[in-house]
Amino acid sequence: TASSVCDLTVVGGTGDLALRKLLPALYQSERRGNLAPGTRVIGGSRHDLDDAGYRAMVREAVHTHVPAHELDETVIERLLDRVRHVVVDADSPEGWDELHGVLKQAESDDVVRVFYLAVAPRLFGPICQRLDDIGVVEPTSRVVLEKPLGTDLASARRINDAVGQVFDEPQIFRIDHYLGKESVQNLLVTRFANTFLEPLWNSRWIDHVQITAAETLGVGERSGYYDTSGALRDMVQNHLLQLLCLVAMEPPTYVGRETVRDEKLKVLQALKPMSPEDVDRDTVRGSYAAGVVDGAEVPAYADELGRPSQTETFVALRAEVQNWRWAGVPFYLRTGKRMDRRTSEIVVVFKAPPHAMFPGSEGATEPNRLHIRVQPDEGMHLHMTVKEPGPGGIRLRPATLDLSYATAFDAVSPEAYERLLLDVLKGNPTLFMRRDEVEAAWAWVEPVLQRWSSLDERPDEYPAGSSGPAAAEALLERDGRTWQETD
Ligand code: BG6
């Protein structure tokens, strides 16, 4: 389906997210001819800018954040022709009428109004109220919300309630940008468009699953936000649990607006709740100390922040999905800032063969492993055991079946935001988080947050540029397992 003719209002239009991600994504959609003629982009911000001033800002953002070989001035001009700016402030009623005026100049009556709230979540409710007050919300309108959606279950509910006063659930698009990643969508296709994996995809054949999202970046200038959040809220509650859902969910009958989300919800609801003892045993918190990342010395988290902190920049944990398919299969999740490399990967570790029939092969084989590389170098690698070539009897050796997207397809994967923005413009909610999913994820995470805050302890330190605190290794060693490093 083509994208509808939309008036896309980006509230927070001069902010970091808009300039770094949204406008470059719109540029790419323009370049590929995916924006309907007549679609307009209205930046809303507190800055005293006219259309020309904002267009200059957009031009610079595109130049800065789009790779040089993809820049085309005629495409930029086409995009800028669509761009307007209005001065609005969530905290004041002034300016909103001007937005009303601009929206009334739409090409026709059936232009879909999309409101992208690229602002702090505490403003979601008040902005929706303002939009309602000036009478611009129509039954066809959509609203797009960025994470974090709250800091716990109660605050997530408050935000959802406030937005829900103005928009109905089908009008609300909650972004989890991991769902826009090409390799994440491929996970569904890999599982359900092939026959050979699904019969093995259960506790009978799978020993455990590992999900890692490691970054080399530190917290840097975001420490104001980050220190109130931490890795569990920033990455686990959303991105990692979404990956877990896609690995663990049952096949929906078809890929529909609600069907995939229904199945993901069931996984979240099947996560084994954590008691305080479970939290102590099955979770690890870390905070980076000074160290060396990519050859450069970097400071400790607490030094970046300017004070000691109990906020974690690393989490590892052991989760279980309590249903027929997954009973007894641990899902180990870990994520951290300032790690030794940037890599996001899902590793499915299969059970060992039930019987060692080759002489001398006991303990010589490694279990089969499927590595699904989310980023960078998207691809899949299947680790298996083969015979070492040669006449001298049977000797077993590990070998890998490799699928690299870069070599298999002559195309660069689009940025997650490009795909997701287009889905918003088309009105396709499949890859967005439904209210019940967000709240179920908070409900599972909350006992961990509560236990940690009751302990009043600092997280374990790990040197920047390492693979995290030692306790994260111990979490698996205890179960006789090890983290599988990216190959
Ligand atoms: C964001 C987090 O949601 O995801 C950031 O707030 C994190 O802290 C980012 O750096 C990671 O995204 P990506 O696409 O680089 O893996």
Side-chain angles (χ1 to χ4, degrees):
T1 47
S3 64
S4 339
V5 181
C6 295
D7 272 341
L8 169 63
T9 303
V10 181
V11 185
T14 57
D16 187 59
L17 177 75
L19 298 180
R20 230 163 23 88
K21 298 284 185 189
L22 305 183
L23 290 158
L26 286 168
Y27 167 84
Q28 297 288 14
S29 297
E30 180 77 82
R31 192 166 76 91
R32 293 186 230 269
N34 285 334
L35 295 182
T39 285
R40 297 186 299 168
V41 180
I42 302 143
S45 81
R46 285 181 302 189
H47 294 254
D48 192 12
L49 288 168
D50 57 11
D51 291 345
Y54 186 55
R55 286 184 186 135
M57 223 169 171
V58 173
R59 180 192 297 278
E60 196 192 315
V62 170
H63 274 268
T64 312
H65 299 292
V66 171
H69 68 274
E70 290 174 353
L71 284 175
D72 177 339
E73 289 304 319
T74 59
V75 176
I76 299 186
E77 289 307 322
R78 280 211 307 275
L79 177 66
L80 293 183
D81 271 351
R82 303 175 184 272
V83 170
R84 306 270 178 290
H85 183 266
V86 292
V87 184
V88 287
D89 180 346
D91 295 324
S92 137
E94 274 161 50
W96 293 90
D97 280 340
E98 193 194 337
L99 174 62
H100 191 188
V102 173
L103 290 176
K104 273 198 304 202
Q105 296 156 8
E107 274 226 323
S108 71
D109 286 348
D110 31 292
V111 171
V112 176
R113 291 175 179 167
V114 178
F115 302 97
Y116 197 123
L117 309 191
V119 294
R122 69 173 178 86
L123 300 174
F124 292 169
I127 290 173
C128 289
Q129 206 48 62
R130 299 245 180 252
L131 294 172
D132 198 30
D133 290 347
I134 59 169
V136 292
V137 179
E138 301 173 325
T140 56
S141 299
R142 300 167 196 152
V143 67
V144 188
L145 307 179
E146 271 290 334
K147 67 173 273 268
L149 256 137
T151 52
D152 56 15
L153 181 56
S155 55
R157 283 196 175 132
R158 274 198 300 277
I159 293 173
N160 283 328
D161 282 343
V163 175
Q165 297 275 314
V166 178
F167 293 92
D168 292 336
E169 183 60 28
Q171 298 177 281
I172 305 173
F173 290 68
R174 297 177 190 81
I175 293 232
D176 183 311
H177 80 279
Y178 266 57
L179 296 178
K181 291 184 192 276
E182 197 69 46
S183 47
V184 174
Q185 293 161 47
N186 184 43
L187 192 55
L188 278 190
V189 177
T190 301
R191 282 191 58 197
F192 300 134
N194 295 287
T195 46
F196 72 100
L197 283 174
E198 212 38 37
L200 306 180
W201 211 255
N202 55 52
S203 63
R204 194 173 145 99
W205 297 106
I206 291 179
D207 181 72
H208 71 281
V209 177
Q210 305 184 359
I211 302 177
T212 298
E215 298 180 87
T216 50
L217 286 178
V219 171
E221 284 164 10
R222 291 170 76 221
S223 63
Y225 150 72
Y226 195 87
D227 202 58
T228 63
S229 166
L232 190 71
R233 290 187 174 100
D234 187 53
M235 293 288 293
V236 178
Q237 186 270 344
N238 35 72
H239 308 322
L240 265 62
L241 287 183
Q242 285 292 314
L243 293 181
L244 184 152
C245 285
L246 294 174
V247 173
M249 67 186 252
E250 297 300 319
T253 317
Y254 63 98
V255 178
R257 303 174 78 88
E258 308 300 340
T259 52
V260 176
R261 305 196 284 182
D262 289 343
E263 294 305 333
K264 287 193 298 172
L265 177 66
K266 289 183 205 160
V267 175
L268 292 167
Q269 290 169 335
L271 285 170
K272 182 175 169 225
M274 290 232 196
S275 68
E277 298 73 43
D278 294 337
V279 174
D280 294 348
R281 193 188 52 239
D282 292 339
T283 70
V284 173
R285 282 179 288 167
S287 165
Y288 58 82
V292 177
V293 178
D294 291 335
E297 285 187 24
V298 297
Y301 174 64
D303 291 332
E304 282 179 340
L305 191 66
R307 57 182 158 80
S309 167
Q310 293 187 349
T311 300
E312 78 287 354
T313 63
F314 174 99
V315 181
L317 59 82
R318 181 187 195 278
E320 275 182 53
V321 180
Q322 291 184 307
N323 62 19
W324 190 286
R325 186 191 282 261
W326 294 113
V329 178
F331 284 74
Y332 300 100
L333 274 45
R334 71 177 163 164
T335 182
K337 304 257 180 219
R338 287 285 191 230
M339 311 252 313
D340 46 357
R341 56 184 126 182
R342 174 173 187 255
T343 164
S344 295
E345 190 168 65
I346 299 163
V347 185
V348 178
V349 182
F350 290 87
K351 292 199 165 156
H355 168 63
M357 63 170 258
F358 299 103
S361 70
E362 298 88 352
T365 60
E366 292 175 11
N368 293 130
R369 289 186 332 255
L370 178 64
H371 287 238
I372 301 164
R373 177 79 76 84
V374 174
Q375 64 190 24
D377 308 328
E378 297 150 277
M380 279 186 281
H381 312 280
L382 181 63
H383 291 256
M384 47 195 293
T385 301
V386 298
K387 177 185 174 299
E388 185 180 275
I394 291 192
R395 249 199 259 273
L396 306 186
R397 281 284 172 269
T400 315
L401 275 178
D402 286 323
L403 171 67
S404 144
Y405 282 21
T407 33
F409 305 99
D410 191 19
V412 178
S413 297
E415 283 268 334
Y417 274 100
E418 186 185 344
R419 162 74 202 246
L420 294 175
L421 260 176
L422 267 186
D423 278 356
V424 174
L425 300 184
K426 290 176 183 170
N428 177 6
T430 311
L431 295 179
F432 297 82
M433 312 249 280
R434 219 165 47 191
R435 174 173 184 158
D436 49 10
E437 280 181 86
V438 175
E439 293 182 5
W442 276 122
W444 184 73
V445 158
E446 192 151 277
V448 183
L449 292 168
Q450 280 170 356
R451 176 65 180 163
W452 285 353
S453 76
S454 78
L455 288 174
D456 197 21
E457 287 169 358
R458 291 218 193 123
D460 292 358
E461 286 199 344
Y462 59 97
S466 71
S467 61
E473 307 295 331
L475 180 71
L476 268 70
E477 275 161 21
R478 192 185 70 197
D479 295 348
R481 303 182 174 111
T482 50
W483 290 106
Q484 300 294 334
E485 292 311 332
T486 303
D487 41 12

